Structure formats: structure tokens, C-alpha cells
Amino acid sequence: MTEDYQFSTRIVRDTVRVDPETGAANVPIYLSSTFHQKDFDHFGKYDYTRSGNPTRDALENAIADLEGGERGFAFASGMAAISTAFLLLSSGDHAIVPKNVYGGTFRILTQVLGRLGIEHTFVDTTDLSQIEQAIRPNTKVIYVETPSNPTLKVTDIHAVSELTKAYRCYTFVDNTFMTPIFQRPLELGADLVLHSATKFISGHSDVVAGLAVAGNHELADKLYFLQNALGAVLGVQDSWLLLRGMKTLDVRIRKSAESALKVAAFLSKQPEVRRVYYPGLPQHSGFSLQHIQASSAGAILSFELENEAAARTFVNHVSLPIFAVSLGAVESILSYPPKMSHAELSEAERIKAGIGSGLLRLSVGLEDAEDLIRDFTRGLAAIKEKKHETVTSVN
Ligand SMILES: *Cc1c(COP(=O)(O)O)cnc(C)c1O
């Protein structure tokens, strides 16, 4: 219906729904678990909020339109959305999942779904031949997360979708890092898109939420059944907060991505930085694919310092980013994957996944890029000073 508009216009059209009754510019927060039925025999659109709520509906319609899907679903967290999606599978079914998948997704697969008889194989999804080799007669899903966390590896969504079509299984894509502003997996052939809306879509580090968008009617019906049956729905007030965050998603993520490119380019020239992982830099292995399937490299980057001591010094000497888990907020967030998102991996597993002891991940916020660069210059200078101190004290 709104297809002719540019994305920035669509976002506003999707999130500003004038209330037909009062003219209120915002969707009311319908804090009601139940709805009065006027007709003894025929019930209205809404009966009970687990099954449907007008505020949550507005959010679900907005994300469905932005991802270009059939129907959207809001969940209590990204993990609630992902877990519910995996319960489309039954005992005896098999999923192919990236080796470097989000830690919570790894946990649900290995410690919960396995117990229920849902099997999985971890592969490097950037290598299509590894995916194809892992396909079995009972494979139901190929799961993609691109760019990946924290080394920003890029998987070809269209190529994976062609494979899943040939083998009659589904492609699920975790689109948290890109959002529909930069990457629309359904348009590339995927069947289901998942989000931790806790991140960019909310954008203010104030809501934990998940979203899913089904690309076709059949999958939408199945997912609706599961959303209602399992009941991990997003609360009404949080649905409203998410709609509020989405209104500025376009400007927020574009500004952050612009700054991320500047920060990545700066870091890649610093002698204290061993390596920068950002698909917006031409030397990144996923650079060309990223720019074919997405319109930006996004606002997340990682960089490798010499060792843990250097990472600690850097974190202790910068003042702009907060040091925390999570990403995708107005404030820049610096995190240390070996002790945060990837703490469950052994050291050997970590190194194999390319997560060295000096790796830091940065989610670039809305601070001025030059201010961030000045702040990081101080952090890097502190590393040099510390090293100098150590050398002179040894002498
Ligand atoms: C945070 C995150 C999740 C999990 O979402 P929650 O909202 O924390 O449950 C899933 N995938 C990715 C890529 C994430 O960053």
C-alpha cells in the first residue's frame, strides 16, 4: 500500500497511526488484557491480549511492512522470537546454523532443542559448500546471521535462499545488526526474519524485545499459532516504546553507520590496532557481498589490540562509550567479547572463531564521530604509554 514511498517516509507512515476515535497522533497504549464482546455468538477482532492487542498490532504491522513480509510478530525478547521460530521444527528435524551464531541462539540449540530431538550442525555459512555438505533429508532450516558477531563475517542471503528452495527447507535470517533500513532478507529470498529489537529498533537501551516477520502466508499462520500457544508476547507498554523507537530508526542507524565508517578507517591506520573488522572497509573479506545485499556496512565494528592488557587499558582510558553488553543504542557501547558475549567458549574455541584476547567490539552511537576518534586516540595513547612504562621498568 505504501510501496511507492521512500523508506524514511514509510517508517513515519507505519509508526504514526492517527487514532480514528480521538485524532491522537500516537497509537494509544491499550492496557487491557481482555475485550468486551458485543455479540453473544460473534466475537470481535480482539478477545485476549496474548492472542492480539491493538498497540502490539500496530508494531507488528509496522515491522511487517518495513521487512516487506506477510505478517509481523512481537515477542518478549529476541530470544523469545528465535526460540518460537525454532519450534516450527519437530523432533527429528535438523537445522544448519552458523558456527559464530549469537550466544543465546547457540544455547537454545545445544541445551534445549537438542533435548527435544531437534538436531543441528554448525558450519561456516560464509562458505556455501559447507552448507550444502551439511544438508540432510531431514534439514528444515538454514539459519543465517549476517554480518556475524563479533567479526562481521558476511553470508550470502540470496545464495542460501536458492539452496533452501532447492532442498525444500526454510531460510531464517537474524537481521538484528542491519535492520530493514539496510538489509531486507525477504526480498533476497529468505522465509523468516528475526530481530533482537532490544538493539537498533528500540535504539535507546530501554526495552528488551524481539520481532519476527514471516514472508508467506503459510509460515505466518504457523508462527501466529506458536506465538499464541507459547505466549512469549511483548507487553503492551513495551510495544508502544518500540514503535516510538522505530520512528527515528532510519536517521539513527544511518548517522551511526556513517560514523562507524570514519571510526573504522581511523582505527585501521593506528599502529596499536592489529586488525579492524568492518565490512565497510575494502580490505574486509565480505566488503563486496555486503554492498550487494545491503545498503550499508552498519554501525558495528570490532578491532583487535595486542592482548587483554591492551584492551583493558583502552577501556579504562576512553570516556565516551559505555562498557557493556548489547549494541544499537544512541550511546556508543564498547564490549569485550571474550568475557561478555563469548564467555562460554573455551580459549581454544575463541581463538578458532577469530576472537583474540585483545578483541573489542564497538557499537557506534550518535556522538560526533570526531569526538569519538579523539576519545579513542586517548585510549590508544594510554596503551603506548603503559608499554613504554613496562619496558623502562624492566630496564
Ligand atoms: C541481542 C541479540 C539476540 C538476542 O536478543 P535479546 O533481545 O537479547 O533476547 C539475538 N541475535 C542477535 C544478533 C543479538 O545481537
Side-chain angles (χ1 to χ4, degrees):
M1 211 181 357
T2 51
E3 249 128 73
D4 295 341
Y5 293 116
Q6 293 297 316
F7 229 68
S8 49
T9 310
R10 274 169 60 182
I11 269 208
V12 176
R13 299 253 316 175
D14 285 342
T15 55
V16 180
R17 290 278 164 92
V18 172
D19 180 40
E21 205 151 301
T22 62
N26 287 295
V27 176
I29 302 175
Y30 284 98
L31 278 178
S32 193
S33 58
T34 187
F35 299 82
H36 171 65
Q37 306 302 326
K38 291 181 196 146
D39 185 316
F40 188 87
D41 292 306
H42 303 99
F43 291 177
K45 181 173 179 192
Y46 299 105
D47 58 6
Y48 188 59
T49 278
R50 172 162 37 74
S51 317
N53 175 283
T55 312
R56 198 175 79 226
D57 263 10
L59 168 67
E60 291 176 333
N61 292 337
I63 192 66
D65 180 63
L66 295 180
E67 288 286 8
E70 178 72 28
R71 186 163 176 182
F73 303 91
F75 293 91
S77 67
M79 281 322 303
I82 292 166
S83 310
T84 303
F86 269 115
L87 287 173
L88 289 161
L89 277 63
S90 304
S91 174
D93 288 346
H94 173 246
I96 295 172
V97 183
K99 265 187 188 147
N100 40 16
V101 73
Y102 176 76
T105 310
F106 178 88
R107 184 165 47 213
I108 188 99
L109 279 159
T110 53
Q111 301 196 38
V112 182
L113 298 171
R115 181 157 60 69
L116 303 179
I118 296 167
E119 301 162 6
H120 60 266
T121 305
F122 291 114
V123 303
D124 176 358
T125 54
T126 64
D127 178 359
L128 282 176
S129 66
Q130 281 196 32
I131 300 182
E132 198 154 12
Q133 276 164 23
I135 294 176
R136 304 183 196 161
N138 60 339
T139 302
K140 281 283 154 64
V141 166
I142 301 178
Y143 192 92
V144 173
E145 199 182 303
T146 183
S148 72
N149 183 21
T151 52
L152 290 303
K153 286 188 171 173
V154 183
T155 293
D156 188 335
I157 299 173
H158 180 67
V160 171
S161 303
E162 291 293 297
L163 262 185
T164 54
K165 281 190 182 79
Y167 288 93
R168 298 177 178 281
C169 47
Y170 295 129
T171 312
F172 290 1
V173 179
D174 182 333
N175 203 26
T176 301
F177 274 32
M178 286 284 103
T179 82
I181 304 298
F182 290 152
Q183 176 171 277
R184 291 187 286 285
L186 299 177
E187 290 175 6
L188 298 166
D191 301 289
L192 183 72
V193 178
L194 296 156
H195 284 283
S196 169
T198 311
K199 316 293 168 54
F200 290 102
I201 292 180
S202 131
H204 297 74
S205 298
D206 53 5
V207 184
V208 171
L211 293 170
V213 180
N216 64 64
H217 200 70
E218 176 228 341
L219 205 52
D221 284 351
K222 287 184 178 166
L223 200 60
Y224 175 70
F225 176 83
L226 284 175
Q227 183 196 35
N228 185 45
L230 296 168
V233 293
L234 188 63
V236 178
Q237 308 205 45
D238 285 348
S239 295
W240 190 91
L241 270 174
L242 219 54
L243 268 172
R244 150 78 104 100
M246 276 172 85
K247 291 178 188 190
T248 54
L249 174 62
D250 186 83
V251 280
R252 280 188 291 104
I253 198 165
R254 281 182 202 284
K255 169 81 197 305
S256 287
E258 245 172 59
S259 303
L261 181 58
K262 290 182 190 162
V263 171
F266 161 78
L267 288 172
S268 68
K269 291 191 213 99
Q270 307 309 307
E272 293 78 22
V273 178
R274 292 194 158 176
R275 199 163 160 188
V276 178
Y277 299 91
Y278 183 63
L281 294 179
Q283 61 265 37
H284 189 279
S285 60
F287 176 83
S288 23
L289 177 56
Q290 180 67 20
H291 291 86
I292 291 169
Q293 70 181 8
S295 59
S296 163
I300 312 288
L301 59 98
S302 292
F303 56 102
E304 177 91 46
L305 299 171
E306 188 182 345
N307 48 32
E308 182 175 337
R312 179 176 289 116
T313 303
F314 185 85
V315 169
N316 288 338
H317 287 83
V318 294
S319 40
L320 286 177
I322 65 167
F323 181 56
V325 299
S326 202
L327 53 98
V330 295
E331 71 281 6
S332 290
I333 301 179
L334 196 55
S335 59
Y336 184 56
K339 285 193 197 293
M340 291 176 169
S341 53
H342 295 71
E344 282 179 47
L345 301 189
S346 69
E347 193 179 340
E349 284 173 320
R350 247 200 311 107
I351 304 297
K352 218 170 125 201
I355 305 165
S357 303
L359 191 80
L360 288 168
R361 187 188 72 198
L362 176 70
S363 165
V364 179
L366 298 181
E367 303 90 345
D368 182 81
E370 297 307 319
D371 285 341
L372 284 170
I373 288 170
R374 265 200 301 279
D375 196 31
F376 296 162
T377 305
R378 281 190 290 270
L380 295 171
I383 296 173
K384 212 156 62 184
E385 251 163 63
K386 268 246 154 74
K387 256 181 100 170
H388 184 69
E389 273 167 30
T390 326
V391 172
T392 43
S393 66
V394 166
N395 292 343

